[in-house]
């Protein structure tokens, strides 16, 4: 069965974006970038892949799911279809129709939609954001791949939404970890079921 992986960048105090959705506090570049691009080229937006000359196919993921706010970030940067090289889903109850060809809207239960996607053949499913959607999909998240930046933000959009109350702790184990000389830690966690 396919796995749902929450692959996201975070500050060390657990924020994936500022309150206004901006992410310009994450440093651009560094020695972690080539390593992550070589392992997960599909996580680069299509326009960035083209600009960087990344020709690698999809290695780990062939499907991406994102919340409306994460998708709107891509729209603000000039594209309604940020990952044309992947099957794209936007979870939204307010988006009246798909924003671009090749982008599908999930307006119903996202947990049920992910369960259905997991049963289909293919590579992994990438949850690229946001935190509220990650909170909703937590029962289906199999892995968390975290790019942890040495930045304190103080406030912003939390990694798993705000005010999450769990009936009991959710446990994960470290699959791999690596700290780069630029200070970014890349941590892979797998859910303990």
């Amino acid at each position: 069965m396919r796995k749902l992986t929450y692959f996201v960048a975070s500050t060390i105090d657990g924020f994936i974006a500022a309150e206004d959705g901006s992410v310009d506090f994450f440093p651009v570049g560094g020695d972690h970038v080539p390593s992550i691009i070589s392992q997960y080229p599909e996580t680069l937006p299509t326009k960035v892949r083209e600009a960087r000359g990344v020709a690698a196919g999809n290695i780990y993921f062939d499907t991406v799911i994102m919340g409306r706010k994460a998708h709107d970030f891509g729209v603000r940067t000039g594209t309604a279809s940020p990952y044309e090289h992947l099957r794209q889903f936007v979870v939204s109850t307010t988006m009246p129709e798909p924003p671009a060809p090749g982008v599908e809207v999930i307006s119903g239960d996202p947990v049920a939609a992910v369960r259905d996607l997991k049963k289909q053949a293919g590579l992994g499913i990438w949850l690229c954001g946001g935190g509220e959607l990650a909170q909703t999909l937590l029962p289906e998240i199999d892995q968390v791949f975290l790019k942890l930046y040495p930045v304190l933000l103080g406030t912003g959009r939390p990694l798993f939404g705000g005010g999450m109350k769990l009936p009991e702790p959710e446990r994960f184990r470290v699959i791999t970890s690596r700290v780069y000389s630029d200070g970014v830690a890349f941590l892979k966690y797998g859910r303990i079921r």
Side-chain angles (χ1 to χ4, degrees):
M1 186 177 295
R2 301 166 79 189
K3 291 182 179 180
L4 177 65
T5 302
Y6 186 26
F7 186 121
V8 67
S10 177
T11 63
I12 57 176
D13 55 347
F15 296 104
I16 60 172
E19 290 181 6
D20 66 359
S22 65
V23 294
D24 55 357
F25 52 85
F26 287 127
V28 177
D31 69 322
H32 72 284
V33 175
S35 177
I36 291 174
I37 289 173
S38 70
Q39 293 176 42
Y40 304 97
E42 59 268 51
T43 62
L44 289 176
T46 302
K47 288 183 178 182
V48 174
R49 286 169 60 106
E50 292 169 355
R52 287 180 151 253
V54 176
N58 299 332
I59 298 170
Y60 203 88
F61 305 110
D62 64 8
T63 303
V64 62
I65 185 168
M66 63 193 100
R68 173 75 185 258
K69 291 176 188 171
H71 178 265
D72 286 349
F73 177 79
V75 170
R76 287 194 308 272
T77 62
T79 181
S81 181
Y83 300 100
E84 294 173 1
H85 55 283
L86 299 172
R87 187 171 177 201
Q88 301 174 86
F89 292 91
V90 177
V91 176
S92 174
T93 58
T94 59
M95 192 176 278
E97 60 188 41
V103 178
E104 300 175 57
V105 176
I106 297 172
S107 58
D109 179 9
V111 173
V114 166
R115 286 179 180 154
D116 183 56
L117 286 170
K118 283 181 161 187
K119 293 176 188 173
Q120 297 173 15
L123 298 174
I125 304 163
W126 170 32
L127 170 57
C128 77
E132 292 173 18
L133 182 56
Q135 181 177 346
T136 299
L137 292 176
L138 182 59
E140 291 302 314
I141 293 175
D142 301 294
Q143 302 176 126
V144 176
F145 289 6
L146 190 62
K147 294 179 288 182
L148 191 62
Y149 285 80
V151 174
L152 287 172
L153 196 55
T155 185
R157 294 187 180 167
L159 186 61
F160 280 95
M164 184 166 57
K165 294 183 180 176
L166 298 173
E168 59 185 59
E170 297 283 341
R171 305 222 183 262
F172 289 78
R173 64 180 173 79
V174 175
I175 299 171
T176 63
S177 65
R178 180 172 176 190
V179 179
Y180 294 87
S181 63
D182 61 11
V184 174
F186 187 51
L187 308 163
K188 296 181 186 181
Y189 295 97
R191 180 185 288 278
I192 299 172
R193 295 212 190 254

